[in-house]
Amino acid sequence: MSTHLMHAETEPSFETTLLVRDACLCLHAQRAARALARRFDLALKPVGISSGQFSLLMSLNRPKPPSLGSVASLLAMDRTTLTANLKPLERRELVETSHDGADRRVRLLSLTAAGRAVLTKAVPIWKEHHAAIEAELSDSGRLRCDLVLLSR
Amino acid sequence: MSTHLMHAETEPSFETTLLVRDACLCLHAQRAARALARRFDLALKPVGISSGQFSLLMSLNRPKPPSLGSVASLLAMDRTTLTANLKPLERRELVETSHDGADRRVRLLSLTAAGRAVLTKAVPIWKEHHAAIEAELSDSGRLRCDLVLLSR
DNA sequence: CTTTATTTAGTTGATATCAACCTATATAGT
DNA sequence: ACTATATAGGTTGATATCAACTAAATAAAG
């Protein structure tokens, strides 16, 4: 009788492991994200922010202050993660929060002058390093497109 | 005199922000990694492991126990992150460690029978959900290839 | 056979990540 | 107005992530 018909749960073979390791997009995305984050962390160290903080500060550089929830959604990040990420930036007074007059539940996020100054120094660094990374890829536009798809 | 010649550091415009937000592969990779992790976290919840723990357990399913460093390198993860990630798995006795007789610095990692049993249940879930994700992409092989490139 | 450099891993401290649970405010249905 | 539901956000606890520093063992240089 075959194991399939018996519904026996045999342990995954080494071959299965290799297949999963090679194929798993979740793993590959994590690996790539970690490697990229470290790369930008290092590049942005002179400015004193991490890659994630750069993305967050950038997302706050708008004409009108966005709400916490909309930024979390933009970054595909849990609301509570964003709350935590804001703490060190508020402590360093790069970001400040205010309340929406119309809807008192909403917490609006905005950059301080110091926050904008940090971005001013960070953007040229980002441009330089991002260009280097795109040069390593054959079609960065297509990759971006796929990543956006995966983010829903 | 132009601001360029003065090397004046003007604040990044909203247009610059939009460019960076749209283009930044670091941000897109983080977003995709977060979204994929959440998706597999949810799928693997019945088995009691996270997506990261699945990847780690899978990477230990080998004929010969690998060293901590080699696994960290495989996962493109800091050594010390791996040390931390092992703790809950060791506590639950899904993973155990031993020492290499030849080189006493090396810590060898291996699955316990319980760890293999968890993988046995997790692999079919992974296969199902991973197939669904690949179906959403036009060319998953190419994406994988790019992600590997970015992981170095 | 020492002395030095390299490799392997652990510890600490800061930040990041999310689920589960909770509060306050706003909106819809009656 | 009044209750029910939905929405925006916070708090807590567990795990994840990495840099900086430390300790131990090995390998290389002399």
Side-chain angles (χ1 to χ4, degrees):
Chain A
M1 191 180 286
S2 80
T3 50
H4 176 258
L5 289 176
M6 289 175 69
H7 291 283
E9 293 182 329
T10 49
E11 289 180 355
S13 66
F14 185 48
E15 289 70 33
T16 301
T17 295
L18 291 180
L19 169 72
V20 173
R21 280 218 304 261
D22 285 349
C24 187
L25 287 169
C26 187
L27 173 56
H28 285 303
Q30 295 291 340
R31 282 170 25 116
R34 279 193 287 254
L36 280 176
R38 270 195 298 254
R39 208 163 158 174
F40 278 98
D41 284 351
L42 192 63
L44 292 170
K45 182 161 288 189
V47 185
I49 58 174
S50 68
S51 58
Q53 290 174 329
F54 175 72
S55 295
L56 173 51
L57 291 176
M58 263 307 194
S59 75
L60 301 184
N61 190 38
R62 317 186 194 185
K64 291 196 175 180
S67 69
L68 189 147
S70 68
V71 173
S73 171
L74 173 71
L75 300 177
M77 171 189 290
D78 194 276
R79 271 188 349 269
T80 64
T81 302
L82 180 52
T83 300
N85 292 0
L86 285 170
K87 280 183 182 170
L89 296 175
E90 286 182 300
R91 203 180 312 136
R92 292 168 60 187
E93 297 187 346
L94 302 178
V95 170
E96 59 190 5
T97 66
S98 56
H99 277 283
D100 189 343
D103 187 338
R104 298 192 352 193
R105 294 170 301 180
V106 173
R107 188 177 164 198
L108 299 176
L109 311 177
S110 46
L111 294 179
T112 62
R116 281 187 294 271
V118 165
L119 276 188
T120 302
K121 290 180 185 169
V123 166
I125 296 175
W126 177 86
K127 280 186 178 169
E128 176 193 347
H129 286 264
H130 199 265
I133 288 164
E134 288 200 311
E136 296 167 16
L137 297 165
S138 54
D139 187 348
S140 60
R142 185 171 164 139
L143 170 61
R144 227 185 319 273
C145 197
D146 283 340
L147 292 176
V148 169
L149 248 176
L150 291 176
S151 312
R152 320 289 208 118
Chain B
M1 190 180 288
S2 80
T3 51
H4 177 259
L5 289 176
M6 290 175 67
H7 291 280
E9 294 183 329
T10 50
E11 290 180 354
S13 67
F14 186 47
E15 288 70 32
T16 302
T17 294
L18 290 180
L19 168 72
V20 173
R21 281 218 302 262
D22 284 350
C24 188
L25 288 169
C26 187
L27 173 56
H28 286 302
Q30 296 290 340
R31 282 170 26 116
R34 278 193 286 255
L36 280 176
R38 269 195 298 254
R39 208 162 158 175
F40 278 98
D41 283 352
L42 193 63
L44 291 171
K45 182 162 288 191
V47 185
I49 57 175
S50 67
S51 59
Q53 291 174 328
F54 175 72
S55 296
L56 173 49
L57 291 177
M58 264 308 194
S59 75
L60 301 185
N61 189 38
R62 315 187 194 184
K64 291 196 175 181
S67 70
L68 189 148
S70 68
V71 173
S73 171
L74 173 70
L75 300 176
M77 168 188 293
D78 195 275
R79 275 188 339 274
T80 64
T81 302
L82 181 51
T83 299
N85 291 2
L86 285 170
K87 280 182 183 171
L89 296 175
E90 286 182 299
R91 205 181 310 135
R92 292 167 60 188
E93 298 188 344
L94 302 178
V95 170
E96 60 190 3
T97 66
S98 55
H99 276 283
D100 189 341
D103 187 337
R104 296 186 3 186
R105 293 169 302 183
V106 174
R107 189 177 163 199
L108 298 175
L109 311 177
S110 48
L111 295 178
T112 63
R116 282 188 293 271
V118 166
L119 276 188
T120 302
K121 289 181 185 168
V123 166
I125 296 174
W126 177 86
K127 281 187 177 169
E128 176 192 347
H129 287 265
H130 198 264
I133 288 165
E134 289 202 310
E136 296 168 16
L137 298 165
S138 53
D139 188 347
S140 61
R142 185 171 165 138
L143 170 61
R144 226 185 321 272
C145 196
D146 283 340
L147 292 175
V148 169
L149 249 176
L150 290 176
S151 311
R152 307 250 259 260

